[in-house]
Amino acid sequence: MYSIIVVPPPTTEDDRQQIHLAPGERLSFGRAPESGLPIPHDGVSRRAGELTAQGTFWILSNLSARQTYVVENPEGAGEHIKVGPGRLDAPVPFEFSRIVLPAAGDLLPIEVWAPRHDYVSDDGGPDGDTTAAAFSVDRTKRYFAVLAALCEPRLRGDPHAPLPTVDQVVDRLRPNWPSASRTSVQWNIDYLAVKLRLKPGPESADPGPRLNGKKESLVSLALRFDVVREDDLVVLTTSASRAAR
């Protein structure tokens, strides 16, 4: 049974080779032609690295003396890990990953597909009080539609996309929220900063430090903890966002 599938960097050929690894199997990659995965680029070390398949994940060894490799989660809106030079057996938890090799001005991607992760079944657990939610949000409210609109560019596949301006958020929401305005959207952004505990509420005696980069802070928190997922973007195209905040 195969554990992971490795897709090498693009070449001039139309079809891209796929390499299947079973648990315990290793795949070396680098400029050396005898590598399991040869990468003929002058900016890639002869022995650049090695992948090892495990049960439901894989590990990466960076055999380069100077280059740091980045492993991105293309589905995680900027989620990534860095594997420094000489680091051995770094575990990679993503189901779909992209190793980015810096190579003399080029960035060469190696895609790795791992098995779907297993999760504990929801059998109700022991009796007792329900655990309080980490972030209490109502996906039918307008504030959530505002948050989804802020997160949308990065959830659509570009983890470094600039955040939309308030005017762009207004335009994005107006089909389902005809009365949307700069004032109402900004009010909801301020409300989200309090609701997601980025700043104290108005009833607090201590207003806390001024929150610079409020939109960036909101989006970073929402994406890091999956408060907004790609599936949630449906609120931007349905009547769900019409509910009053």
Side-chain angles (χ1 to χ4, degrees):
M1 177 180 177
Y2 293 122
S3 179
I4 66 173
I5 301 173
V6 181
V7 182
T11 64
T12 55
E13 302 175 1
D14 291 336
D15 56 336
R16 297 176 67 184
Q17 173 190 11
Q18 291 187 0
I19 301 171
H20 296 251
L21 299 179
E25 291 185 335
R26 297 174 178 266
L27 175 68
S28 63
F29 60 91
R31 193 173 79 252
E34 64 270 18
S35 296
L37 172 55
I39 304 176
H41 192 293
D42 291 342
V44 176
S45 301
R46 292 184 58 81
R47 294 180 65 246
E50 185 177 73
L51 309 176
T52 304
Q54 300 294 330
T56 58
F57 66 101
W58 55 281
I59 56 179
L60 170 65
S61 293
N62 181 352
L63 305 181
S64 166
R66 292 181 295 274
Q67 298 290 356
T68 293
Y69 300 157
V70 174
V71 184
E72 300 176 338
N73 176 9
E75 301 174 320
E79 187 178 19
H80 69 278
I81 61 174
K82 296 191 293 185
V83 182
R87 170 69 193 275
L88 300 177
D89 298 337
V92 179
F94 312 136
E95 293 182 28
F96 175 40
S97 308
R98 180 187 298 121
I99 307 172
V100 181
L101 307 179
D106 294 324
L107 296 177
L108 305 180
I110 300 175
E111 295 177 0
V112 183
W113 304 338
R116 286 190 174 275
H117 295 167
D118 295 327
Y119 295 91
V120 64
S121 61
D122 185 9
D123 57 2
D127 295 334
D129 295 336
T130 302
T131 303
F135 302 101
S136 179
V137 295
D138 186 338
R139 285 165 169 75
T140 68
K141 300 296 186 181
R142 282 177 176 162
Y143 68 76
F144 187 80
V146 170
L147 184 59
L150 290 172
C151 295
E152 183 179 28
R154 296 184 183 179
L155 283 172
R156 293 295 189 191
D158 185 354
H160 308 294
L163 297 185
T165 65
V166 171
D167 286 333
Q168 289 171 328
V169 173
V170 171
D171 291 341
R172 186 69 178 94
L173 298 177
R174 191 158 279 160
N176 287 325
W177 182 7
S179 62
S181 65
R182 283 180 55 86
T183 301
S184 58
V185 166
Q186 188 61 58
W187 185 92
N188 278 278
I189 290 173
D190 292 339
Y191 175 78
L192 282 162
V194 174
K195 187 169 185 63
L196 298 183
R197 306 185 190 97
L198 294 178
K199 60 178 298 186
E203 71 284 354
S204 173
D206 180 8
R210 179 178 175 83
L211 184 62
N212 295 317
K214 189 180 302 181
K215 292 191 299 180
E216 184 69 43
S217 298
L218 284 170
V219 170
S220 177
L221 180 111
L223 296 182
R224 186 184 304 126
F225 292 101
D226 286 340
V227 179
V228 180
R229 301 171 182 262
E230 189 172 0
D231 292 347
D232 292 320
L233 298 182
V234 68
V235 301
L236 302 176
T237 56
T238 68
S239 59
S241 61
R242 294 187 182 182
R245 159 45 241 151

